[in-house]
Amino acid sequence: MLDAIQFSSFAEFIDMGGYGFNVWSVYGLFAIFVAVNLVLPLRKKQKILRQLKRRMMLEEEIKSEDS
Amino acid sequence: MWLWFSKLGSPKWFYELSGKWLPWLIAAMVVFMTVGLVWGLLFLPPDYQQGFTSRILIVHVAVAGTSLAFFPLLLVSGTITLVWRMKLADMVAKNAAILGAWFSFITLATGSLWGSVMWGTWWEWTDSRLVSMLFQLFLLLGVISLRSALEDSETAAKACALLSIVGCINVVIIKYSVEWWNTLHQVSSPVSMDTQSPNGPEFWIATLIMIVAVYLFLSVSLILSTRNEILERERKSQWVQDLVSKS
Amino acid sequence: MEAMSEKQTTTSAAFLATLKRDLLIAFKKKNDIVNPFMFFIIVVSLFPIGISPESDRLTEIAAGVIWISVLLASMLSMDNLYRADFEDGSLEQLLLSPHPLFFLVLAKNISHWLVSGLPVVLVSPLLAYMLALPEEAYLILVLSLLLGTPIMSLIGSIAVALTVGLGSRGLILAVITLPMSVPVLIFGTLAVQSTLNSQSPLGYLSLMLVMLSVSVSLAPLASAAALKISVN
Amino acid sequence: MEAMSEKQTTTSAAFLATLKRDLLIAFKKKNDIVNPFMFFIIVVSLFPIGISPESDRLTEIAAGVIWISVLLASMLSMDNLYRADFEDGSLEQLLLSPHPLFFLVLAKNISHWLVSGLPVVLVSPLLAYMLALPEEAYLILVLSLLLGTPIMSLIGSIAVALTVGLGSRGLILAVITLPMSVPVLIFGTLAVQSTLNSQSPLGYLSLMLVMLSVSVSLAPLASAAALKISVN
Amino acid sequence: MLSARQLFCERDDRVLFQNLDFDLAEGQVLQVQGSNGSGKTTLLRILCGLNDSYAGSIRWYGQEIEEQAAAFFASLLYIGHRVGVSKVLTPIENLRWSCSLKQAVNDDQIMSALKEVGLRGFEESPCYTLSAGQQQRVSLARLLISPAKLWVLDEPFTTLDTKGVAQLESILQDQAQAGGAVMVTTHHQLTIPELSLLSLG
Amino acid sequence: MLSARQLFCERDDRVLFQNLDFDLAEGQVLQVQGSNGSGKTTLLRILCGLNDSYAGSIRWYGQEIEEQAAAFFASLLYIGHRVGVSKVLTPIENLRWSCSLKQAVNDDQIMSALKEVGLRGFEESPCYTLSAGQQQRVSLARLLISPAKLWVLDEPFTTLDTKGVAQLESILQDQAQAGGAVMVTTHHQLTIPELSLLSLG
Ligand code: HEM
Ligand SMILES: Nc1ncnc2c1ncn2[C@@H]1O[C@H](COP(=O)(O)OP(=O)(O)OP(=O)(O)O)[C@@H](O)[C@H]1O
Ligand SMILES: Nc1ncnc2c1ncn2[C@@H]1O[C@H](COP(=O)(O)OP(=O)(O)OP(=O)(O)O)[C@@H](O)[C@H]1O
Ligand SMILES: [Mg+2]
Ligand SMILES: [Mg+2]
């Protein structure tokens, strides 16, 4: 299995046969793309829940003031 | 059928069901993504002609192929919004437009990074796939900006649905007309995407795995953001209130 | 009260009344007629200044520049189509008429094209001359524009109808509709260019004719739906 | 009532409040920021399609096309500057403030440029690449645009102020201001072209700097006067 | 003639009305009352089919409105907050178009209607030179011409002076007596015998 | 404090008013009356300097207004037909700006003013979601915050419900009692003791 790896050293791995910049940019972009589109919705969910909670409290406040 | 349809249209039902699916989808996505990326980065043998840049291609092709799915998706959800007035369809459509713009952009970016190696230029107007992908991005951005411009969410839903339908017809026409236009300019074009290099079966298997991984990613991301949308738009309903007070 | 149904107008009378009213408004405001025209001329004349005043250069870019400027002029003039009506409430009256909206919308589109598209097309040979386009291409240029501008008006009409409630529309309209008019641009410029290369432009022109007939029959429906959505 | 004069705001506070408000509105609407930018990109990408996709041809027209598109984007985005305020009556409130109108108008102009001019300038190198403009000209292109766009905003502001009461403005604005911005276009493209011919662009740039400072000090006065006229 | 059942409308998570039932018969003037933001405008627009974000049923002579939109529109006259008067056109030109969407009219009818609403001498002035109240009057002239059975008027009394208010009231009364029906929102106290009230919020 | 002499105004060859004289003193509420199109709006805009197509003299504490525009504007609050409320902004954001053109305010003042005009719960909703009357109320909240001596209000009662009308009347009265002055057009019958009338046309 391990000998199927195409690189014998880490430097070679980074270099990608001379196309390091392009290859790593693509993988980097792809990673950012995937991460952003997973993390943002997850964080947004937390934000929404927090906001909804705050609003619920505020509404109760208004209600108790009115009565 | 109708029952199923209206049930699927119920945000609450979708929220609960998708909550059950999500872990499985995420697990599958992680597995495919890891296999695809590790294989792609570490094990894929270099192409005899393109060297290690074929590693770009597996990502590019997966993202490019997936990004073609967005206008059909918008067409379907737009029709549902206009005809059956299902709120859920619009929640999906809203996020699909944004995600689709991301996909188109990544296709363009990875394509350029690949082109800069193969063609020596980052951008080439004589290639029809590039140009039509660029205009697909523009159309998606048009849908997004229409939505952000319209204040009333119900108006926005219907307006975007209509625009998506019109846009989908247009994407097809644009694609064909750009292709046609392009054949007239081929002469001076440096290279074309169709100069297929003989890639081994391993390459295609890696690509296939990446395609599956990217489709899974699409669905996970879309479901996550749709769930958020549901929470926001249904915030007054009892079940969301219960959910909030429990959390 | 009984006489009501007898006195009700026919659809064609409502169509004509709407056409007449829109033309009347345009002739009163004059700007609606003159501006697209002026805009077109001004934009075209920026190119010799910005790019190069040499006629060889200009010949190369002439067809493209004229087509793109027409595109911009016609997109930007769309803005007037339903806005004033929306703001003063006439649009609601239109939507509440008993006649099929398709025809009323078509009447508005036709009047708009007559007022803002046609003049631009008619002046284009003059600008073609200024940009040193060879003479043999004039006819095809005008023909292609005659077919292309109504298509763009019809497409644009959908976008205006969708955005009519918005405060600032000028740009968003262009952002939505310019990508959609790429096919028209392609066939229009190809028609002119093929004439210049002594090939037949008929294929392109007939394609544009097909596009025109499809959009005449579908776009007003979409516009009508869009108007209903916007007024909601 | 006695405390009134003590509580009155300073001009700089009013300036800041106005700047902040306009930015706030822009960020709420988002479209005001994104649309000029999108419009610019879309218009630029029509040229390779309409004229020619070959990079040699594109190099020749790149500077001109970018400058003209920026011009159009910035003119057309002006429309938003005072319109909403006019329609909802905020403009009258502005005119009735005790502070010098010069600064309040300037605040509105600055916020507008930050929102609609700057993004366009920042994305221009990307489009320059797509139009195959040689790399050595990027810096000068951006610099010339940085100097040129505020001038155009300031000039445009006068025209918007004059036409703010009009129903359909998009085109008339462009018709009024495009001719006025021809000098900017000339110096801007000359600056870029002289770089391409390995000459120094500094002369042109400093001329633009002079034009900018003159317009910053005079144009807001003219805009303020124009607003007073329009509201009448 | 018009009956609404179980109307429900919610905007931005605020329920404006629910379980709203009412009937409008020939010869009736129905005033919709309610404080600011209680949903009067929304209700009228829903009835006219300008707004479809509601639940419930609205029937016109016993049949759902959507099924007979053209017939319903032919006998409906709606004047909203925005009165439908183009500022560039003169009062005559405005009426010529807006009336001809529904019925055939001639200029004499228009002239006499304009005279009646006190716009004598302004027939040929473009509407942007008219004051707020005068523009309102142009749209009210349509009431005098229209043979529509159902009038739906949203705050038609704003900007009218006292004489105008009295005149409009008598116009509404005439319509009711001629067998038509009127649905109107206003914060004024109307003094029409045929009046019935509908209160929101 | 404000006095007009020999005002003359003509629009489109129609003389709206001529030889118009009036004085407005501290503690006074002046209601401008007149039928539609008699020139009320025009008069108010002339007084505020928003319209300069007139002849005659307008003095503020004895001095021509043009000679002391800044001082006059600092003590003037004008609310016209168009109320100056941006639809994208929320009520708070709107007030923050429009008040800060004249005086320094803090959010507490704004919040309590909004509450007083009955917009509790709408402070953070963008104004396009408010009804016609609610938008009017946003602009009226300015009256509660403003220390301006002279208020010029053009039909502030339109679209207000009866409770709103009563409240606004009492606000006007407070202003008069605090030594300010109000100039207002309306077709309503006001019941403020400090009221005086000016009739046009
Ligand atoms: C409609 C969207 C697109 C699809 C479906 C797509 C698909 C593909 C596929 C399947 C290949 C592999 C061909 C091979 O095996 O050699 C490929 C190659 C390539 N793509 Fe794309 N692509 C799209 C858009 C783009 C864009 C927008 C760009 C550039 C910005 C781009 C640049 C390239 C390049 C440079 C190659 C290599 C061409 C070669 O081998 O000579 N593609 N693309
Ligand atoms: N822009 C204009 N150009 C010419 N004449 C105008 C213009 N605006 C108003 N007028 C005329 O001035 C007169 C007075 O208008 P104004 O708006 O001041 O009336 P008003 O008293 O406020 O009426 P209302 O009670 O209807 O609001 C009207 O007869 C109108 O015809
Ligand atoms: N576009 C909108 N989006 C969301 N909510 C809205 C919208 N328009 C109105 N509303 C809300 O609907 C409610 C009713 O508005 P509507 O205009 O029907 O009131 P109204 O009874 O006519 O009041 P008024 O007497 O002030 O005219 C208001 O509380 C308002 O907040
Ligand atoms: Mg209302
Ligand atoms: Mg008035």
Side-chain angles (χ1 to χ4, degrees):
Chain A
M1 168 99 193
L2 275 181
D3 42 288
I5 292 182
Q6 297 293 325
F7 308 100
S8 48
S9 73
F10 189 67
E12 219 175 287
F13 179 54
I14 293 297
D15 187 53
M16 283 284 166
Y19 296 116
F21 173 74
N22 296 65
V23 174
W24 286 111
S25 305
V26 166
Y27 279 80
L29 259 178
F30 184 69
I32 293 172
F33 164 57
V34 171
V36 162
N37 281 293
L38 294 177
V39 170
L40 281 190
L42 285 172
R43 282 207 1 211
K44 195 166 171 212
K45 181 173 175 185
Q46 300 308 313
K47 209 178 111 194
I48 291 172
L49 287 179
R50 264 202 314 271
Q51 248 173 12
L52 287 183
K53 213 161 207 173
R54 224 189 52 201
R55 199 172 308 178
M56 264 167 73
M57 261 141 49
L58 198 86
E59 255 153 41
E60 258 151 44
E61 208 175 281
I62 291 181
K63 234 180 260 163
S64 62
E65 254 175 57
D66 285 353
S67 58
Chain B
M1 171 71 193
W2 266 108
L3 193 68
W4 179 82
F5 217 59
S6 54
K7 227 174 143 191
L8 187 64
S10 140
K12 176 177 185 240
W13 180 82
F14 177 84
Y15 194 90
E16 282 162 2
L17 189 73
S18 64
K20 276 183 223 146
W21 287 355
L22 256 181
W24 299 103
L25 282 173
I26 292 179
M29 179 191 78
V30 170
V31 169
F32 274 91
M33 201 73 96
T34 324
V35 170
L37 287 178
V38 170
W39 191 5
L41 276 175
L42 289 177
F43 297 102
L44 197 65
D47 188 277
Y48 81 99
Q49 211 181 14
Q50 309 172 352
F52 281 111
T53 52
S54 59
R55 271 138 217 258
I56 298 177
L57 217 51
I58 63 168
V59 174
H60 167 69
V61 171
V63 177
T66 312
S67 63
L68 296 180
F70 280 93
F71 260 105
L73 183 60
L74 286 176
L75 178 72
V76 172
S77 54
T79 314
I80 295 178
T81 305
L82 286 182
V83 179
W84 291 287
R85 305 201 180 172
M86 200 174 281
K87 281 186 191 162
L88 185 60
D90 179 57
M91 302 184 195
V92 173
K94 178 180 178 184
N95 294 301
I98 296 170
L99 197 60
W102 265 101
F103 267 85
S104 310
F105 175 74
I106 297 291
T107 306
L108 288 168
T110 54
S112 310
L113 280 162
W114 171 243
S116 79
V117 178
M118 293 312 294
W119 302 339
T121 172
W122 297 73
W123 185 258
E124 184 52 60
W125 289 100
T126 50
D127 195 286
S128 61
R129 274 201 277 194
L130 272 65
V131 176
S132 52
M133 181 53 70
L134 183 67
F135 280 95
Q136 172 178 327
L137 175 62
F138 289 161
L139 283 170
L140 284 169
L141 289 176
V143 175
I144 296 171
S145 86
L146 180 65
R147 180 172 309 259
S148 82
L150 290 171
E151 284 134 359
D152 188 78
S153 70
E154 207 167 313
T155 311
K158 288 187 245 168
C160 290
L162 188 69
L163 184 63
S164 308
I165 293 170
V166 175
C168 190
I169 300 168
N170 251 279
V171 163
V172 177
I173 300 176
I174 290 175
K175 214 171 159 46
Y176 282 109
S177 54
V178 167
E179 234 154 63
W180 186 344
W181 165 77
N182 191 46
T183 52
L184 297 170
H185 293 282
Q186 276 306 310
V187 216
S188 57
S189 143
V191 234
S192 125
M193 240 198 264
D194 305 321
T195 54
Q196 301 277 330
S197 45
N199 288 303
E202 271 191 80
F203 169 82
W204 288 112
I205 295 171
T207 308
L208 208 68
I209 292 175
M210 275 311 281
I211 290 180
V212 175
V214 170
Y215 263 105
L216 283 169
F217 158 64
L218 186 163
S219 19
V220 168
S221 175
L222 202 54
I223 288 175
L224 283 178
S225 43
T226 303
R227 283 163 63 89
N228 287 343
E229 201 68 30
I230 291 175
L231 282 184
E232 261 189 336
R233 293 203 206 171
E234 302 278 303
R235 61 176 177 272
K236 280 294 157 81
S237 66
Q238 197 52 50
W239 69 271
V240 174
Q241 303 245 317
D242 292 346
L243 201 104
V244 171
S245 47
K246 254 186 277 162
S247 75
Chain C
M1 287 284 146
E2 288 311 282
M4 188 190 81
S5 52
E6 285 154 50
K7 278 177 71 188
Q8 193 182 321
T9 38
T10 60
T11 300
S12 72
F15 176 89
L16 283 179
T18 308
L19 189 66
K20 227 158 53 188
R21 167 183 182 267
D22 274 30
L23 289 175
L24 187 65
I25 292 183
F27 280 100
K28 288 218 175 180
K29 291 209 289 191
K30 293 193 193 68
N31 271 318
D32 286 357
I33 304 180
V34 177
N35 283 341
F37 183 85
M38 289 290 298
F39 177 82
F40 173 58
I41 298 179
I42 293 175
V43 169
V44 168
S45 45
L46 290 180
F47 285 89
I49 299 175
I51 291 178
S52 157
E54 291 151 34
S55 64
D56 295 351
R57 275 296 174 78
L58 288 178
T59 305
E60 291 172 4
I61 61 172
V65 163
I66 290 180
W67 255 98
I68 292 173
S69 309
V70 169
L71 221 76
L72 289 174
S74 94
M75 288 295 99
L76 295 168
S77 70
M78 294 310 293
D79 196 22
N80 311 337
L81 185 48
Y82 305 108
R83 181 188 14 206
D85 289 345
F86 175 77
E87 281 171 3
D88 64 27
S90 305
L91 197 57
E92 289 166 358
Q93 300 298 335
L94 195 81
L95 291 181
L96 292 179
S97 103
H99 307 291
L101 219 47
F102 179 93
F103 293 105
L104 303 182
V105 167
L106 190 61
K108 291 185 86 69
N109 283 342
I110 291 175
S111 117
H112 186 265
W113 179 77
L114 284 177
V115 159
S116 67
L118 193 57
V120 168
V121 174
L122 294 181
V123 82
S124 61
L126 180 67
L127 290 164
Y129 178 80
M130 288 167 60
L131 291 185
L133 187 78
E135 268 168 44
E136 64 265 29
Y138 285 10
L139 181 67
I140 298 302
L141 177 71
V142 171
L143 273 182
S144 67
L145 286 174
L146 269 182
L147 290 171
T149 45
I151 304 180
M152 297 188 294
S153 289
L154 287 162
I155 296 179
S157 157
I158 305 175
V160 205
L162 284 173
T163 55
V164 74
L166 261 56
S168 47
R169 258 177 323 290
L171 283 180
I172 196 176
L173 252 177
V175 166
I176 293 179
T177 44
L178 283 180
M180 295 199 194
S181 44
V182 164
V184 184
L185 176 64
I186 289 179
F187 293 125
T189 49
L190 281 183
V192 178
Q193 260 152 29
S194 61
T195 323
L196 290 181
N197 303 337
S198 322
Q199 292 156 353
S200 160
L202 284 185
Y204 301 118
L205 291 182
S206 48
L207 258 172
M208 289 177 84
L209 193 62
V210 172
M211 282 162 64
L212 177 58
S213 31
V214 172
S215 31
V216 163
S217 46
L218 293 184
L221 281 181
S223 301
L227 283 177
K228 276 198 195 135
I229 292 171
S230 294
V231 163
N232 209 334
Chain D
M1 285 285 146
E2 288 311 286
M4 188 191 80
S5 52
E6 285 154 50
K7 278 178 67 190
Q8 193 183 319
T9 37
T10 59
T11 300
S12 72
F15 175 89
L16 283 180
T18 308
L19 189 66
K20 226 161 48 190
R21 166 182 182 269
D22 274 29
L23 289 176
L24 187 65
I25 291 183
F27 279 98
K28 287 216 175 183
K29 292 209 288 191
K30 291 194 197 72
N31 272 309
D32 286 358
I33 305 180
V34 176
N35 283 342
F37 181 85
M38 286 290 303
F39 177 81
F40 173 59
I41 300 179
I42 293 176
V43 169
V44 168
S45 44
L46 291 179
F47 284 91
I49 293 177
I51 293 178
S52 160
E54 288 150 35
S55 61
D56 296 350
R57 269 306 168 73
L58 289 177
T59 305
E60 291 171 4
I61 60 171
V65 163
I66 289 180
W67 255 97
I68 291 173
S69 308
V70 169
L71 220 76
L72 288 175
S74 93
M75 288 297 98
L76 294 169
S77 70
M78 294 310 292
D79 197 22
N80 310 338
L81 186 47
Y82 305 109
R83 177 177 27 195
D85 289 346
F86 175 77
E87 282 172 2
D88 65 26
S90 304
L91 197 56
E92 289 167 357
Q93 301 298 334
L94 195 83
L95 291 181
L96 293 178
S97 104
H99 306 289
L101 220 45
F102 178 92
F103 293 105
L104 301 183
V105 167
L106 190 61
K108 288 186 88 69
N109 284 342
I110 290 175
S111 118
H112 185 265
W113 180 76
L114 283 178
V115 160
S116 67
L118 193 57
V120 169
V121 175
L122 294 181
V123 82
S124 61
L126 181 66
L127 290 162
Y129 180 82
M130 288 171 70
L131 292 185
L133 187 79
E135 268 167 44
E136 63 266 29
Y138 287 8
L139 182 66
I140 298 303
L141 178 71
V142 171
L143 274 182
S144 67
L145 287 174
L146 268 183
L147 291 171
T149 45
I151 304 180
M152 296 188 294
S153 288
L154 287 161
I155 295 178
S157 156
I158 307 176
V160 204
L162 281 172
T163 55
V164 76
L166 263 55
S168 47
R169 259 176 324 289
L171 283 179
I172 198 175
L173 252 177
V175 168
I176 296 179
T177 45
L178 282 180
M180 292 207 256
S181 43
V182 165
V184 184
L185 175 65
I186 292 179
F187 292 127
T189 48
L190 280 181
V192 177
Q193 259 150 31
S194 63
T195 323
L196 290 181
N197 303 337
S198 321
Q199 292 157 353
S200 160
L202 284 185
Y204 300 118
L205 289 182
S206 46
L207 258 171
M208 289 177 82
L209 192 62
V210 172
M211 282 162 66
L212 177 58
S213 30
V214 172
S215 33
V216 163
S217 46
L218 294 184
L221 281 180
S223 301
L227 282 179
K228 276 195 193 134
I229 294 172
S230 294
V231 163
N232 211 331
Chain E
M1 54 208 286
L2 188 74
S3 64
R5 288 287 169 275
Q6 294 292 322
L7 283 192
F8 167 86
C9 172
E10 141 184 280
R11 296 199 86 154
D12 263 358
D13 309 320
R14 252 184 286 269
V15 175
L16 291 183
F17 41 79
Q18 54 191 348
N19 299 331
L20 185 71
D21 294 339
F22 70 87
D23 290 282
L24 185 62
E26 282 148 19
Q28 204 183 356
V29 176
L30 181 63
Q31 178 181 359
V32 183
Q33 280 185 322
S35 55
N36 289 138
S38 58
K40 301 180 293 301
T41 300
T42 312
L43 175 63
L44 295 198
R45 293 177 68 88
I46 286 175
L47 293 178
C48 295
L50 288 172
N51 188 327
D52 58 5
S53 49
Y54 70 96
S57 104
I58 306 172
R59 287 164 181 273
W60 173 245
Y61 285 114
Q63 211 182 338
E64 288 288 335
I65 280 184
E66 287 111 61
E67 293 163 14
Q68 42 162 354
F72 175 63
F73 287 161
S75 41
L76 167 75
L77 182 79
Y78 167 80
I79 298 179
H81 272 295
R82 292 160 165 173
V83 290
V85 171
S86 163
K87 300 219 168 172
V88 239
L89 297 180
T90 64
I92 293 195
E93 288 160 350
N94 262 307
L95 291 180
R96 227 179 257 151
W97 175 71
S98 55
C99 294
S100 72
L101 280 179
K102 306 243 164 170
Q103 96 243 39
V105 282
N106 57 40
D107 281 5
D108 292 343
Q109 282 174 288
I110 295 178
M111 289 298 264
S112 70
L114 282 176
K115 192 171 155 194
E116 201 144 320
V117 295
L119 288 177
R120 184 76 203 258
F122 290 88
E123 294 97 342
E124 307 275 4
S125 318
C127 286
Y128 58 83
T129 64
L130 301 186
S131 78
Q134 287 170 324
Q135 290 183 20
Q136 180 83 348
R137 280 157 188 262
V138 175
S139 79
L140 296 181
R142 290 180 58 200
L143 299 180
L144 295 171
I145 304 172
S146 163
K149 281 197 97 157
L150 174 62
W151 293 355
V152 176
L153 311 175
D154 198 0
E155 311 226 6
F157 294 96
T158 49
T159 70
L160 286 189
D161 55 24
T162 33
K163 244 175 64 195
V165 170
Q167 192 188 7
L168 180 55
E169 282 198 49
S170 84
I171 295 176
L172 297 190
Q173 194 167 347
D174 292 348
Q175 161 81 349
Q177 278 160 6
V182 181
M183 188 143 180
V184 58
T185 69
T186 173
H187 300 295
H188 278 256
Q189 201 69 47
L190 296 185
T191 54
I192 304 173
E194 289 82 0
L195 195 71
S196 53
L197 291 177
L198 173 69
S199 288
L200 293 183
Chain F
M1 53 210 282
L2 187 75
S3 63
R5 288 288 168 276
Q6 294 291 321
L7 282 194
F8 168 85
C9 172
E10 143 183 278
R11 295 199 87 157
D12 265 357
D13 306 323
R14 252 186 287 269
V15 175
L16 290 184
F17 41 79
Q18 54 191 346
N19 300 331
L20 185 71
D21 294 340
F22 69 88
D23 290 282
L24 184 62
E26 281 148 20
Q28 203 183 358
V29 176
L30 181 64
Q31 177 181 0
V32 183
Q33 279 185 321
S35 56
N36 289 139
S38 57
K40 302 180 294 299
T41 300
T42 312
L43 175 63
L44 295 198
R45 292 178 69 88
I46 286 176
L47 292 178
C48 295
L50 286 173
N51 188 326
D52 56 7
S53 49
Y54 69 97
S57 104
I58 307 171
R59 288 164 181 274
W60 174 246
Y61 285 114
Q63 212 183 337
E64 287 289 338
I65 280 183
E66 287 110 63
E67 292 163 14
Q68 44 162 353
F72 175 62
F73 286 159
S75 41
L76 167 75
L77 182 78
Y78 167 79
I79 298 179
H81 272 297
R82 292 161 166 173
V83 292
V85 171
S86 163
K87 302 222 168 172
V88 239
L89 298 180
T90 64
I92 292 194
E93 288 160 350
N94 262 307
L95 291 179
R96 227 180 257 153
W97 174 71
S98 54
C99 294
S100 72
L101 281 179
K102 306 243 163 169
Q103 97 243 38
V105 281
N106 58 40
D107 281 4
D108 292 343
Q109 282 174 289
I110 295 178
M111 288 298 262
S112 69
L114 283 175
K115 192 170 157 191
E116 202 143 320
V117 295
L119 289 176
R120 183 75 208 260
F122 290 88
E123 294 97 342
E124 307 274 5
S125 316
C127 286
Y128 59 84
T129 64
L130 301 186
S131 78
Q134 288 170 324
Q135 290 183 21
Q136 179 85 346
R137 280 157 186 262
V138 175
S139 79
L140 295 181
R142 291 179 58 199
L143 298 179
L144 295 172
I145 303 172
S146 163
K149 282 196 96 156
L150 174 62
W151 292 355
V152 176
L153 310 175
D154 197 0
E155 313 226 7
F157 293 95
T158 50
T159 69
L160 287 188
D161 55 23
T162 32
K163 243 175 67 193
V165 170
Q167 191 188 9
L168 179 55
E169 283 198 45
S170 84
I171 295 176
L172 297 189
Q173 193 168 347
D174 291 349
Q175 161 81 349
Q177 277 160 7
V182 181
M183 187 145 179
V184 58
T185 69
T186 172
H187 300 296
H188 277 255
Q189 201 69 48
L190 297 185
T191 54
I192 304 174
E194 289 83 359
L195 195 72
S196 53
L197 291 177
L198 174 68
S199 287
L200 293 182

